[in-house]
């Protein structure tokens, strides 16, 4: 069984299907994974002109089905590896036995919780500067956050954009000293300390953000900033909760692997994609780990 239907899950299904392992893919809440929240993917090999994200994931699904993968809707609510085979429970109560399980549930970008983030999702709002920054060349963008990830995103966008606002709710950056120095030294990055984004506006996409400076203080100020893109860099939440009895995780919840493999501490339970990757979170990397997980699952099955 493969839990998750993003690049990691479908790649694992392709390899498992070609090895006659009878893979079953449980798609989760979002068929195609987080990638379907973006529009055009331009950095995945094999698409010189870019490709619509939903089209790419449909093609991955079709390729997996061509090799015999069974695609199921549903959400995994429990797994039991205390006996062999493992028992996987879905949200409709169905229980499925599996000799191996590959976790490919991804990690969800944290949002501020503004209704406008949903309204403009894919039309100016993004949780991945590396994925979507290319579309904002010679435009003005804003990055929300004050840690290393936010600074890295701002520096990346500064190479593409005419102006980058870094929206920081604290009067200081939490990022490492070297990252702070790099941001401070970049002329087209303006740091908005003690600012909170309270909303977005625009006709056919994001055209600006509503901000408040020194919220709750006597000198609180409200004003608007014209931008073309709004990037969230306040962290990700790995979707690992249901599996934590059977795996080791870091302090955030990313699943830890055994050595340079996709194996978890539980024999027969593998992991791939963003749920075990706090560093890269790229579709091509996720696909590669999906390949590794399927190959390792095949080798494991040969030993039992």
């Amino acid at each position: 069984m493969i839990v998750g239907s993003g690049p990691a899950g479908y790649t694992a299904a392709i390899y498992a299907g070609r090895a006659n392992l009878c893979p079953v893919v449980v798609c989760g809440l979002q068929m195609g994974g987080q990638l379907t929240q973006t529009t055009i993917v331009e950095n995945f090999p094999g698409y010189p002109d870019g490709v619509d994200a939903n089209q790419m994931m449909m093609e991955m699904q079709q390729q997996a089905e061509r090799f015999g993968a069974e695609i199921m809707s549903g959400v995994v609510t429990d797994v039991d590896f205390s006996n062999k085979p493992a028992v996987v429970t879905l949200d409709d109560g169905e229980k499925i036995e599996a000799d191996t399980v590959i976790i490919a549930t991804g990690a969800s970008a944290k949002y501020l919780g503004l209704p406008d983030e949903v309204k403009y999702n894919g039309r100016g709002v993004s949780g991945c500067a590396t994925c979507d920054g290319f579309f904002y060349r010679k435009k003005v963008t804003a990055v929300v956050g004050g840690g290393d990830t936010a600074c890295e995103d701002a520096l990346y966008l500064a190479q593409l954009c005419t102006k980058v606002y870094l929206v920081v709710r604290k009067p200081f950056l939490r990022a490492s000293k070297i990252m702070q120095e790099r941001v401070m030294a970049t002329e087209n990055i303006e740091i908005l300390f003690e600012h909170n984004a309270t909303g977005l506006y625009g006709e056919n996409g994001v055209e600006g953000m509503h901000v408040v400076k020194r919220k709750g203080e006597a000198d609180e100020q409200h004003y608007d900033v014209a931008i073309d893109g709004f990037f969230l860099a306040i962290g990700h939440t790995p979707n690992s909760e249901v599996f934590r009895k059977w795996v080791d995780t870091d302090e955030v919840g990313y699943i830890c692997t055994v050595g340079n493999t996709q194996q978890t501490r539980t024999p027969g339970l593998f992991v791939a994609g963003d749920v075990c990757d706090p560093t890269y979170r790229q579709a091509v990397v996720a696909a590669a780990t999906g390949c590794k997980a399927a190959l390792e699952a095949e080798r494991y099955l040969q030993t039992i």
Side-chain angles (χ1 to χ4, degrees), residues 268-287:
L269 181 58
F270 302 86
V271 63
D274 288 8
V275 71
C276 62
D277 178 13
T279 305
Y280 301 106
R281 294 191 297 272
Q282 296 296 301
V284 68
V285 178

Side-chain angles (χ1 to χ4, degrees), residues 2 32 42 66 90 148 173 215 232 252 258 261 281 286-287 300:
I2 297 159
E42 294 194 322
R66 176 190 165 203
L90 303 185
D148 278 343
L173 291 172
K215 183 178 180 181
L232 283 304
V252 178
V258 178
T261 73
R281 294 191 297 272
Y300 169 81

Side-chain angles (χ1 to χ4, degrees), residues 82-154:
S82 57
N83 295 299
K84 301 293 184 181
V87 178
V88 180
T89 305
L90 303 185
D91 53 349
D92 63 358
E94 182 178 2
K95 295 182 182 294
I96 302 173
E97 293 185 343
D99 294 306
T100 63
V101 173
I102 296 174
I103 305 166
T105 46
S108 303
K110 293 180 181 178
Y111 286 81
L112 297 173
L114 305 174
D116 289 337
E117 291 172 317
V118 178
K119 177 180 178 180
Y120 293 106
N121 191 21
R123 297 190 301 129
V125 172
S126 172
C128 181
T130 311
C131 307
D132 298 326
F134 184 78
F135 302 111
Y136 297 91
R137 288 172 298 171
K138 299 182 179 180
K139 294 185 178 182
V140 179
T141 56
V143 176
V144 179
D148 278 343
T149 299
C151 288
E152 288 172 5
D153 285 359

Side-chain angles (χ1 to χ4, degrees), residues 7-257:
Y10 280 145
T11 302
I14 291 166
Y15 275 79
R18 292 182 76 249
N20 293 321
L21 300 185
C22 305
V24 174
V25 180
V26 180
C27 291
L29 291 173
Q30 188 171 16
M31 182 176 286
Q34 281 194 84
L35 201 64
T36 57
Q37 292 183 356
T38 188
T39 50
I40 303 299
V41 177
E42 294 194 322
N43 57 0
F44 199 92
Y47 296 97
D49 299 318
V51 61
D52 178 83
N54 286 277
Q55 177 190 339
M56 188 174 86
M57 298 317 302
M58 286 178 58
E59 290 174 351
M60 283 193 181
Q61 177 184 335
Q62 291 165 4
Q63 191 172 2
E65 289 176 317
R66 176 190 165 203
F67 293 116
E70 180 183 349
I71 311 298
M72 297 182 61
S73 60
V75 175
V76 171
T77 59
D78 189 35
V79 290
D80 184 358
F81 267 81
S82 57
N83 295 299
K84 301 293 184 181
V87 178
V88 180
T89 305
L90 303 185
D91 53 349
D92 63 358
E94 182 178 2
K95 295 182 182 294
I96 302 173
E97 293 185 343
D99 294 306
T100 63
V101 173
I102 296 174
I103 305 166
T105 46
S108 303
K110 293 180 181 178
Y111 286 81
L112 297 173
L114 305 174
D116 289 337
E117 291 172 317
V118 178
K119 177 180 178 180
Y120 293 106
N121 191 21
R123 297 190 301 129
V125 172
S126 172
C128 181
T130 311
C131 307
D132 298 326
F134 184 78
F135 302 111
Y136 297 91
R137 288 172 298 171
K138 299 182 179 180
K139 294 185 178 182
V140 179
T141 56
V143 176
V144 179
D148 278 343
T149 299
C151 288
E152 288 172 5
D153 285 359
L155 289 165
Y156 176 78
L157 291 168
Q159 301 175 68
L160 303 168
C161 304
T162 57
K163 178 88 172 183
V164 179
Y165 293 100
L166 186 57
V167 184
V168 185
R169 61 187 179 90
K170 300 285 188 180
F172 56 86
L173 291 172
R174 295 181 292 103
S176 59
K177 185 177 179 181
I178 185 65
M179 293 304 297
Q180 293 185 42
E181 291 173 350
R182 288 174 181 171
V183 167
M184 299 284 191
T186 304
E187 292 184 1
N188 62 333
I189 296 178
E190 180 178 344
I191 306 175
L192 302 179
F193 286 116
E194 295 185 274
H195 278 68
N196 287 273
T198 59
L200 302 166
Y201 62 89
E203 290 290 329
N204 299 313
V206 170
E207 295 177 4
M209 62 178 173
H210 306 300
V211 297
V212 55
K213 181 179 180 180
R214 292 179 56 79
K215 183 178 180 181
E217 302 296 329
D219 58 349
E220 177 180 297
Q221 300 175 39
H222 293 258
Y223 63 98
D224 294 341
V225 179
I227 59 171
D228 303 293
F230 186 78
F231 290 85
L232 283 304
I234 53 177
H236 285 73
T237 302
N239 302 317
S240 59
E241 185 65 36
V242 70
F243 305 100
R244 291 190 185 181
K245 180 179 179 181
W246 307 101
V247 300
D248 294 324
T249 67
D250 67 10
E251 64 277 5
V252 178
Y254 288 97
I255 296 176
C256 301
T257 59

